[in-house]
Amino acid sequence: MNTKYVFITGGVVSGLGKGITASSLGRLLKNRGYKVINQKFDPYINVDPGTMSPYEHGEVFVTEDGAETDLDLGHYERFTDVNLNKNCSVSSGKIYQSVLNKERRGDYLGKTVQVIPHITNEIKENIYSFEGQTDIVITELGGTIGDIESLAFVEAIRQVGLEKGLEDVLYIHVTLLPYISGSNELKSKPTQHSVKELQSFGIKPDILVCRSEIDIPNEIREKIALFCNVRPENVIPNLTAENLYAVPLMLEKYGLARAVCKHLKLENIEPQNSEWEMLIENIRNLKGEVDIALVGKYMQLQDSYLSVAESLKHGGFANGVKVNVSFIDSETINENTVNEILNKYDGILVPGGFGNRGVEGKVIAIKYARENKIPFLGICLGMQMAVIEFARNVLGILDANSTEFDKNTQNPVIHIMENQKDIKEKGGTMRLGAYPCTIKKDTLAYKIYEKENISERHRHRFEFNNDYKQRLESAGLICSGMSPDGNLVEIVEYKNHPFFIAGQFHPEFKSRPDKPAPLFKALIKAAKERKFN
């Protein structure tokens, strides 16, 4: 069959859940036996989110091949369980960079380089790059229709509709139906205006997904269908679900996937949703709760730790408990406040990050977890802080530090990698993507992963300094995971503790609601045992 293309745009306001709609549709089509891949277009001029503050755009999600991408790719992977790649995250900056590089090389043979056709052609190349590799490409366009920075993307997806067959391209528009409590009414006018705006760019939406806080009466759906030139059955309600992972089944109930299959002439109409239904039933029947403190520094925007928070929930699903995640600003933690802040938690997690702000609070939190036998998981910077804490408070190297925070430290237990020392540019230059790790037998890490060789995704510049490895291990720190060549420490743990482990990698990027990352599953298991046993 021909590769099919689904484009998802948004109108009225941002933040309506285009990413969850795209993710849910991917899952529903995959459950019908189709090979699906999700793609995100972001209109910003940054080449990728890698150099952006988490306060700007939330977390940076890293793919297997080392691309630093938008957090929506995390949603795509968690819902569809498909490992995405660098072609799945495309920004205006990436498009313009590629076009300008071609212009400098003379690829355009002296032509005047313009938005049409050169920029739009470059966008289409990214769309068509999956042709023949997958059955359906679902492309989400970031922002809102009418935004000046996204016009080239809108034009490109319009052209795809002309270049491919009518049954091979589908446009979905996600809009808001505001509820006016004073008059007890849902208002369809913003949706009508948004569709009119989209049509002015030459795109007629085939399906409308209408975000609403309350049920949408049939007469409203019929009115929207009439004024927006779509069939009534293609006006799909998108209501607030009981939990994020229930959205696919809700959209299934309202006929989204059936409408897509009908338009694209897909034969497999009947879904195989039983596994996902079991997942949701499991989530509904969680018994008991555990409280986890996530001690980080980017607390003004909780999306900065989106994958970590979701992975903790996944660990709860596997252990039959609800996980309450508290976001604790590490700058509020000192020797005087740590007990008051952390003594009520069943587990402590210190995630990744950059820069020296708040790092001393993280060290104090880790010391508290270690000394009070509270289950602890460190991720990336969290592992480095665990090494620093151990060196200072167990080994007695009071000035132990990372050269990231003190270039002149006399005891750099964490230091920059040799191949990173002379790098001037920040974007895309860290150790990124999937790397193998060999786990020592008879360790906590081996008990958790139940195998000797694993692969996890990375995003960092600094590493464990092997000059201190022997001294740290002699004091009780175990380097239980190493790179296959033995040069890089990937996992550390402390044997005189019920659960104390940290990894240089980011296990949250591979966690799925029905297949939680082993470290998160094990952390919640330890937290549950501490609370209920």
Side-chain angles (χ1 to χ4, degrees):
M1 95 180 191
N2 295 335
T3 299
K4 309 286 186 177
Y5 298 92
V6 177
F7 297 104
I8 299 180
T9 56
V12 186
V13 295
S14 59
L16 292 180
K18 294 192 307 294
I20 300 300
T21 300
S23 305
S24 299
L25 179 59
R27 165 52 63 176
L28 295 176
L29 292 173
K30 184 177 179 182
N31 286 356
R32 285 163 165 79
Y34 292 106
K35 190 175 180 183
V36 178
I37 200 158
N38 286 81
Q39 183 182 46
K40 176 75 183 289
F41 286 156
D42 275 303
Y44 50 70
I45 305 299
N46 304 67
V47 173
D48 60 42
T51 57
M52 296 166 71
S53 164
Y55 292 137
E56 290 285 323
H57 227 250
E59 75 172 7
V60 175
F61 186 85
V62 179
T63 57
E64 286 282 293
D65 61 352
E68 295 175 285
T69 73
D70 182 78
L71 59 80
D72 270 320
L73 269 74
H75 288 311
Y76 302 160
E77 287 206 4
R78 285 188 287 273
F79 276 72
T80 65
D81 194 21
V82 174
N83 289 331
L84 304 179
N85 58 51
K86 61 184 179 182
N87 292 328
C88 297
S89 182
V90 181
S91 69
S92 289
K94 186 176 179 181
I95 294 295
Y96 275 86
Q97 183 183 58
S98 179
V99 169
L100 291 173
N101 287 340
K102 289 179 180 179
E103 185 271 335
R104 292 290 83 187
R105 290 197 304 266
D107 291 8
Y108 298 121
L109 303 176
K111 295 283 188 183
T112 302
V113 179
Q114 298 176 285
V115 173
I116 303 173
H118 301 97
I119 296 297
T120 50
N121 283 350
E122 189 71 25
I123 294 168
K124 287 187 293 183
E125 276 187 34
N126 280 270
I127 297 170
Y128 295 150
S129 65
F130 302 106
E131 196 148 335
Q133 302 173 31
T134 190
D135 299 323
I136 305 160
V137 182
I138 301 172
T139 301
E140 175 194 350
L141 177 54
T144 308
I145 285 299
D147 296 344
I148 191 168
E149 60 263 33
S150 63
L151 293 180
F153 288 112
V154 175
E155 170 60 18
I157 67 174
R158 181 194 70 81
Q159 292 178 17
V160 172
L162 292 177
E163 294 172 4
K164 300 296 179 180
L166 290 174
E167 71 281 2
D168 293 334
V169 181
L170 173 76
Y171 298 100
I172 298 175
H173 194 50
V174 180
T175 72
L176 175 68
L177 293 183
Y179 173 67
I180 310 299
S181 58
S183 58
N184 193 31
E185 286 182 299
L186 281 174
K187 291 296 186 181
S188 65
K189 193 64 72 176
T191 291
Q192 294 176 43
H193 282 302
S194 183
V195 171
K196 184 178 179 182
E197 181 90 1
L198 184 59
Q199 289 173 334
S200 74
F201 297 125
I203 295 175
K204 175 192 173 298
D206 303 294
I207 295 172
L208 298 179
V209 174
C210 298
R211 183 77 176 85
S212 173
E213 292 298 317
I214 64 172
D215 286 329
I216 304 173
N218 283 335
E219 57 265 29
I220 295 289
R221 293 175 69 181
E222 289 170 0
K223 179 181 178 182
I224 291 169
L226 180 64
F227 280 90
C228 296
N229 198 28
V230 299
R231 296 181 181 278
E233 63 269 25
N234 289 355
V235 178
I236 308 295
N238 185 8
L239 310 179
T240 301
E242 60 194 283
N243 69 75
L244 198 62
Y245 301 107
V247 175
L249 297 181
M250 179 186 68
L251 293 176
E252 180 75 85
K253 180 180 115 178
Y254 288 117
L256 175 63
R258 286 179 177 275
V260 170
C261 290
K262 184 177 179 182
H263 180 95
L264 296 177
K265 300 292 192 291
L266 297 173
E267 294 179 359
N268 299 344
I269 300 293
E270 295 304 317
Q272 303 295 321
N273 290 331
S274 57
E275 288 186 9
W276 203 260
E277 289 166 350
M278 286 172 58
L279 168 69
I280 302 306
E281 191 62 26
N282 178 37
I283 295 172
R284 286 176 180 147
N285 291 297
L286 298 177
K287 290 181 172 58
E289 301 180 4
V290 297
D291 299 300
I292 303 295
L294 194 160
V295 181
K297 58 189 286 188
Y298 308 115
M299 291 308 171
Q300 290 170 267
L301 184 66
Q302 293 181 359
D303 274 358
S304 302
Y305 302 109
L306 180 61
S307 290
V308 174
E310 288 302 311
S311 299
L312 287 167
K313 294 175 187 176
H314 303 166
F317 301 161
N319 285 284
V321 293
K322 179 185 177 185
V323 177
N324 301 314
V325 182
S326 294
F327 294 82
I328 309 295
D329 188 341
S330 59
E331 288 190 285
T332 66
I333 295 177
N334 55 50
E335 294 288 0
N336 296 322
T337 62
V338 62
N339 182 65
E340 180 186 351
I341 292 173
L342 296 180
N343 66 13
K344 57 182 170 289
Y345 292 103
D346 308 306
I348 295 172
L349 186 149
V350 175
F354 297 89
N356 62 3
R357 182 174 62 83
V359 297
E360 292 304 322
K362 293 181 180 182
V363 170
I364 293 168
I366 294 167
K367 178 186 177 187
Y368 186 84
R370 181 177 56 79
E371 291 182 343
N372 291 279
K373 309 295 186 186
I374 300 171
F376 167 77
L377 173 61
I379 295 172
C380 196
L381 180 64
M383 184 198 101
Q384 296 173 6
M385 293 297 96
V387 173
I388 291 170
E389 189 279 325
F390 194 89
R392 289 179 184 177
N393 299 316
V394 178
L395 205 53
I397 308 175
L398 298 182
D399 62 343
N401 213 332
S402 166
T403 53
E404 180 179 5
F405 314 131
D406 181 1
K407 292 180 181 178
N408 301 314
T409 179
Q410 297 300 302
N411 284 289
V413 294
I414 304 295
H415 66 165
I416 198 162
M417 295 181 282
E418 283 296 322
N419 64 351
Q420 293 282 328
K421 281 185 176 179
D422 299 321
I423 287 175
K424 305 300 182 194
E425 295 187 2
K426 290 186 176 180
T429 55
M430 291 181 278
R431 183 149 77 104
L432 291 164
Y435 285 86
C437 170
T438 301
I439 297 177
K440 292 180 182 177
K441 292 187 176 180
D442 300 319
T443 61
L444 176 59
Y446 190 83
K447 181 181 177 183
I448 291 169
Y449 279 96
E450 299 181 325
K451 54 185 175 181
E452 197 171 348
N453 298 303
I454 64 169
S455 173
E456 294 280 10
R457 301 180 194 177
H458 293 65
R459 184 178 183 249
H460 63 100
R461 294 185 196 282
F462 293 80
E463 296 278 0
F464 184 106
N465 187 343
N466 288 329
D467 292 344
Y468 293 84
K469 185 170 181 282
Q470 187 174 355
R471 292 168 65 186
L472 288 163
E473 288 195 305
S474 66
L477 191 74
I478 301 169
C479 298
S480 55
M482 303 289 296
S483 59
D485 61 10
N487 288 331
L488 300 174
V489 175
E490 294 280 11
I491 305 174
V492 299
E493 58 188 68
Y494 182 45
K495 60 184 174 184
N496 298 321
H497 194 284
F499 188 91
F500 188 100
I501 192 166
Q504 183 57 77
F505 43 79
H506 288 266
E508 69 269 24
F509 293 146
K510 294 178 70 172
S511 188
R512 311 288 187 251
D514 51 347
K515 289 186 284 187
L519 284 171
F520 287 94
K521 181 180 177 181
L523 172 67
I524 302 305
K525 181 174 185 287
K528 179 182 176 182
E529 288 173 352
R530 183 177 191 269
K531 183 168 187 175
F532 295 109
N533 291 348

